[in-house]
Amino acid sequence: MDLSERKLKILQAIIADFIKTAEPVGSRTLSKNYNLGISPATIRNEMSDLEELGYLTHPHTSSGRVPSEKAYRLYVNQMMNKRELTAAEKDSIAAELHSNVTELENIVQRAAHVLSEITNLTAFALTPRQEQDTLKYINLLPVDAYTVVLMLVSESGKISNKAVKLHKPVSEDTLRILAKTMTYNYRGKTLSEALAYDIIKNVKSDAEAMAMLEKNIVPSFVKTLEDMLNVNLYMDGLTNIFSLPEYNDLDKARMFLEMVNKKEDFTRTLINRENGVIITIGNENQDELMQDCSLITATYHVDGKMVGKIGVIGPTRMRYGEVTSVVEYLTDNISKAFMITEGDDDDEG
C-alpha cells in the first residue's frame, strides 16, 4: 500500500527527529517542531495508522513512537537526502588520503580512520584480493644459524616477510642459490599461479638445498603467498559506540564488539556483498549478530580492476544521508589519492 503524502511527511519528520534525539517522538513534538499544517489530533490518528502498517513501533515506557526497520527502508529508498560535505570535511579527507603514503593499504587504512572520525561510527576498509598481482623477486636473508627471513616482493610493491626456523644450519651460498632459483621459477606468476606451482618437482639443485627447501622453506612460502593473496580488513572507531545511547547497555556494547572482532566472519560478510553502495538494515543482514545493526558499504576501484570495500556499521538509528555522502566521497577519492602518490614517486625517481 502506497502512503499518502501526509503520512509520508509525518513519517519523515518522525525519522528525522528520532535520528537526531534518540527519543520516542510524540504528536506534540511533531506539531510544535515541524510545520505539518495539521492538528495534533490528526497527527495522532495518522501515527496510529502508520503503526498499524508496520512503520512505527510503540515502546512500552513511552507515549511516543519510534521508526521500524520497514520505516528506515522506505526512508533510504525514497526520502533520504544526501548532504554536501563541508569544506572542512573535504580538507580533512584530502589531508588523510593525500599525505605521504605509497601503498594502497596505507590509503584505505587512513580512509577508515577519517570515516570513523566524521561519522562517529565504527568504520572499516577492506583491501582488494590480489589475484592478478605478480611476483617480482624472492630473497632469503640469514638472521642467525637457525633462522632466515623469507621475503616476497610483488610487482605492485607489496612486501611480505616471514621468519623461518631451520632444522639445521644452512650456508649463505645455499640460501643464495635457492633465492635465485625460486625467483627464476616464480617471477611473473600471479599469486594464485604461484600457489599451484610445484617447486619441488621443478627445482634442480644440490641435495642439501633440496632437503632444506622441502622441510623448511616451502611451507612458509605457501603460507606467505596465501597471506599476500588474502584481503586485509582495517577497522577504526570501535569505541565510538559508547557515545551512542543504543549501547548504554554494556551487554549490548560487548556483543557488538565481539561481533566486529570476529574478523574472519566479518570479512566474509563484506566480501559477499554486492558492489556499489549497499545499505542493509536490521533483519536484512543475514548474520544474526548484525540484526540490530545497519551496515553501509561501498566499493572503490584502482586502475579499473582492483576493488575493495569501505563502510560503517552501527545502530539502525543512523544518519543515512550523511554517512552515505561521506562513504561515496571517500570511494571517489581513494583511487585519486593512490594515483597522486604513484605520480609523486615517479617524479622523485
Side-chain angles (χ1 to χ4, degrees), residues 98-296:
H98 299 170
S99 57
N100 186 28
V101 291
T102 57
E103 291 187 358
L104 181 63
E105 281 87 352
N106 299 128
I107 293 171
V108 297
Q109 190 171 7
R110 288 169 180 264
H113 174 69
V114 74
L115 180 56
S116 74
E117 289 280 302
I118 293 176
T119 63
N120 199 36
L121 293 168
T122 297
F124 51 82
L126 195 69
T127 60
R129 281 183 64 84
Q130 306 285 329
E131 282 103 334
Q132 300 308 311
D133 203 359
T134 55
L135 285 170
K136 188 173 184 180
Y137 68 85
I138 298 161
N139 210 348
L140 292 165
L141 307 171
V143 176
D144 56 40
Y146 288 90
T147 310
V148 298
V149 171
L150 171 66
M151 174 189 288
L152 275 62
V153 181
S154 73
E155 289 290 348
S156 70
K158 189 178 182 75
I159 300 171
S160 288
N161 300 306
K162 188 172 183 63
V164 180
K165 290 294 182 183
L166 306 178
H167 288 88
K168 64 178 183 177
V170 178
S171 68
E172 288 190 28
D173 284 343
T174 299
L175 292 175
R176 272 197 297 272
I177 290 168
L178 274 175
K180 285 183 178 180
T181 304
M182 292 177 77
T183 296
Y184 176 81
N185 279 276
Y186 283 98
R187 179 183 285 139
K189 291 187 183 298
T190 66
L191 302 182
S192 297
E193 289 170 343
L195 276 170
Y197 187 78
D198 187 348
I199 190 171
I200 298 295
K201 185 185 291 186
N202 291 283
V203 169
K204 301 290 186 288
S205 187
D206 60 63
E208 180 188 15
M210 284 298 296
M212 197 272 283
L213 177 70
E214 187 165 8
K215 287 182 180 178
N216 306 122
I217 301 300
V218 168
S220 296
F221 179 64
V222 169
K223 179 66 171 66
T224 306
L225 278 173
E226 288 172 345
D227 290 344
M228 292 179 79
L229 185 62
N230 288 340
V231 299
N232 290 321
L233 174 66
Y234 299 105
M235 303 201 78
D236 207 298
L238 289 173
T239 59
N240 284 346
I241 63 165
F242 294 111
S243 66
L244 302 172
E246 286 85 350
Y247 298 103
N248 286 342
D249 182 334
L250 291 181
D251 284 338
K252 193 171 181 181
R254 178 182 53 77
M255 288 175 62
F256 177 89
L257 293 174
E258 286 179 359
M259 172 188 68
V260 294
N261 279 317
K262 291 180 178 176
K263 290 200 171 181
E264 286 188 12
D265 294 341
F266 193 58
T267 299
R268 194 177 304 114
T269 296
L270 299 179
I271 289 172
N272 290 333
R273 284 168 76 83
E274 295 179 9
N275 291 339
V277 178
I278 304 296
I279 301 172
T280 48
I281 302 167
N283 286 313
E284 294 173 359
N285 294 301
Q286 292 185 353
D287 188 332
E288 284 186 21
L289 296 174
M290 293 186 186
Q291 291 183 352
D292 285 332
C293 301
S294 284
L295 182 63
I296 299 179

Side-chain angles (χ1 to χ4, degrees), residues 23-165:
E23 296 290 338
V25 184
S27 57
R28 287 192 178 188
T29 298
L30 293 177
S31 179
K32 181 178 177 182
N33 297 336
Y34 298 89
N35 184 25
L36 297 174
I38 50 178
S39 69
T42 303
I43 293 173
R44 278 195 297 275
N45 290 335
E46 295 285 23
M47 288 174 71
S48 294
D49 290 346
L50 286 167
E51 187 172 3
E52 285 185 16
L53 292 168
Y55 290 100
L56 299 178
T57 61
H58 195 162
H60 296 301
T61 57
S62 170
S63 59
R65 309 294 204 283
V66 300
S68 65
E69 292 173 11
K70 183 178 179 180
Y72 285 128
R73 172 48 60 195
L74 181 66
Y75 175 78
V76 166
N77 289 351
Q78 295 186 27
M79 307 178 193
M80 179 177 75
N81 293 316
K82 295 178 186 175
R83 73 165 179 83
E84 177 72 15
L85 272 65
T86 66
E89 288 169 337
K90 290 180 179 179
D91 288 346
S92 175
I93 290 171
E96 282 285 344
L97 299 190
H98 299 170
S99 57
N100 186 28
V101 291
T102 57
E103 291 187 358
L104 181 63
E105 281 87 352
N106 299 128
I107 293 171
V108 297
Q109 190 171 7
R110 288 169 180 264
H113 174 69
V114 74
L115 180 56
S116 74
E117 289 280 302
I118 293 176
T119 63
N120 199 36
L121 293 168
T122 297
F124 51 82
L126 195 69
T127 60
R129 281 183 64 84
Q130 306 285 329
E131 282 103 334
Q132 300 308 311
D133 203 359
T134 55
L135 285 170
K136 188 173 184 180
Y137 68 85
I138 298 161
N139 210 348
L140 292 165
L141 307 171
V143 176
D144 56 40
Y146 288 90
T147 310
V148 298
V149 171
L150 171 66
M151 174 189 288
L152 275 62
V153 181
S154 73
E155 289 290 348
S156 70
K158 189 178 182 75
I159 300 171
S160 288
N161 300 306
K162 188 172 183 63
V164 180
K165 290 294 182 183

